[in-house]
Amino acid sequence: MGISKEYMDMGDSYFLHTYNRYPIVLDHGRGVNLYDAEGKEYLDFAAGIAVFALGYGDEAYNNALKEQIDKLIHTSNLYYNAPSALAAKEICRVTGMDRVFFTNSGTEAIEGAIKSALKYAYTKAPSDEYEIIAMEHSFHGRSMGALSVTGNPHYREAFGTGIGHIKFAVYNDYESVEKLVTEKTCAVIMETLQGEGGIHPADPEFVKKVRKLCDDRDILLILDEIQCGMGRTGHMFAFEEYGIKPDIMTAAKALGCGIPVGAFLMTERVAEKSLVPGDHGSTYGGNPLACAAVLAVLKEFEEKDIVSHVRELSPYLTEKLDRIKDSFDIVTDRRGMGFMQGLEFSVPVAEVIKGCQEEGLILISAGSSIIRFVPPLIIEKEDIDRMYEIITKVLQKL
Ligand SMILES: *Cc1c(COP(=O)(O)O)cnc(C)c1O
């Protein structure tokens, strides 16, 4: 344990205790591998919670950041700068949206999306009673607005009533959404593929019907693509799978591949009636360094054709996960799309994750009984094989 033990003890003494951390001190990464302070190698199937899509040490990405650091890191949004203008143009192009606001995190992107929807409704007819329909088992972040639309009472319990006027429908149950609609409903917010809630993809019928409901009643559809976006499902954004477009969407996680950056985007139709100067802002949001990261990520995605790679290789991942499901009785389901998959267990998965760590494989859960597979998007067949061998070995021992 040596040096690692020292840092773990130090952290435990000074961090606010909000995380139950695994007993690993990570030191550096290469490609799809991470190394701890003692030099032990781990195959990373978590990517820093679906963030590090390009893997560790991507040369073009790292060089773009180094260049920008030497040039200009921050200016505030009182002025223009090249990386943020270019990143805005690129992210609008790849999402098919018209306007973007860059944030520092996913939860802030959700805050902005909520404010945008409320302002849109307010512009049409001023009122402080507009309602938002969110989904049970959703996860949208930890700030008060994002928490208020997060459909997990456990996360909200100690923190009051939230922003109010939020109603929860059942994901993939269209009638449950329809039933909640009133003349005050201004938005429906959901993940296109629920992540934290246990890797649940949206049903095509559900998405299409909600889209139509929103169109018919001028309700805004907000899709949270923070985890499922950026190539992870084999589409640049998961909503492409359904042949629909949101009115407002959010991105983060892999958007900056490790540099903290998020975004909320909207169509021109929404923007025309939504936030104006004075309504929203951020000191750091979309600063030159963050936007240099976004630009470099989008460029690498295109040059390496990451989305096609995910699409080509994900059937292989699916096949291996299905084989695990078929081989072990305690594995009860496999769900997901592309490189965003989950295996559901009939037992808590903490022991499995711990066992895999000891064997050099980093995995994370989504809830207590689901293992989530969100590897860097650059993994190859042999990485999937290695993952498969380690999990199989660990499950045989259990
Ligand atoms: C992670 C996540 C968020 C919150 O993002 P942070 O950057 O942690 O604030 C919101 N929505 C979804 C779907 C997420 O997976």
Side-chain angles (χ1 to χ4, degrees), residues 144-373:
M144 288 308 289
L147 198 58
S148 302
V149 291
T150 288
N152 182 338
H154 172 71
Y155 291 156
R156 294 202 311 268
E157 198 171 75
F159 306 108
T161 51
I163 61 172
H165 304 293
I166 309 292
K167 295 170 167 179
F168 288 95
V170 179
Y171 195 61
N172 283 336
D173 176 348
Y174 175 72
E175 273 75 46
S176 78
V177 179
E178 201 179 30
K179 253 196 291 191
L180 295 178
V181 173
T182 73
E183 72 280 10
K184 289 292 181 202
T185 306
C186 74
V188 174
I189 182 168
M190 62 185 184
E191 293 150 271
T192 323
L193 193 175
Q194 286 190 336
E196 305 298 310
I199 313 292
H200 293 278
D203 291 341
E205 272 308 289
F206 176 70
V207 174
K208 282 175 194 147
K209 281 181 168 169
V210 170
R211 178 65 273 180
K212 181 164 189 312
L213 174 77
C214 290
D215 285 339
D216 291 348
R217 316 232 358 189
D218 199 13
I219 295 167
L220 299 179
L221 177 60
I222 305 172
L223 291 182
D224 181 348
E225 291 260 346
I226 290 170
Q227 188 162 164
C228 61
M230 294 300 294
R232 187 152 290 284
T233 61
H235 298 281
M236 193 61 192
F237 291 93
F239 61 76
E240 294 165 25
E241 167 82 12
Y242 303 92
I244 56 111
K245 254 176 79 170
D247 302 299
I248 299 175
M249 63 169 286
T250 57
K253 290 204 162 86
L255 179 63
C257 272
I259 293 292
V261 58
F264 61 94
L265 299 105
M266 63 193 78
T267 61
E268 191 66 34
R269 181 180 75 85
V270 178
E272 275 167 4
K273 293 194 175 68
S274 192
L275 306 177
V276 296
D279 281 342
H280 201 59
S282 168
T283 301
Y284 291 134
N287 81 11
L289 182 62
C291 286
V294 173
L295 267 180
V297 167
L298 293 176
K299 203 161 157 224
E300 282 294 83
F301 262 67
E302 216 149 84
E303 269 172 25
K304 298 199 160 137
D305 201 357
I306 298 278
V307 175
S308 300
H309 177 70
V310 174
R311 204 172 298 175
E312 276 158 27
L313 207 58
S314 55
Y316 191 70
L317 175 65
T318 303
E319 183 196 315
K320 288 285 178 185
L321 295 178
D322 277 338
R323 199 176 304 171
I324 294 170
K325 187 190 81 177
D326 295 340
S327 309
F328 298 95
D329 288 344
I330 55 168
V331 184
T332 54
D333 195 16
R334 181 204 57 79
R335 293 189 291 269
M337 278 159 69
F339 287 174
M340 184 168 175
Q341 304 257 0
L343 282 183
E344 183 154 15
F345 286 66
S346 57
V347 296
V349 294
E351 281 302 304
V352 183
I353 290 176
K354 189 167 157 261
C356 287
Q357 264 168 26
E358 282 161 12
E359 296 292 333
L361 170 66
I362 288 192
L363 292 170
I364 50 174
S365 59
S368 63
S369 64
I370 291 142
I371 293 185
R372 168 167 37 162
F373 298 81

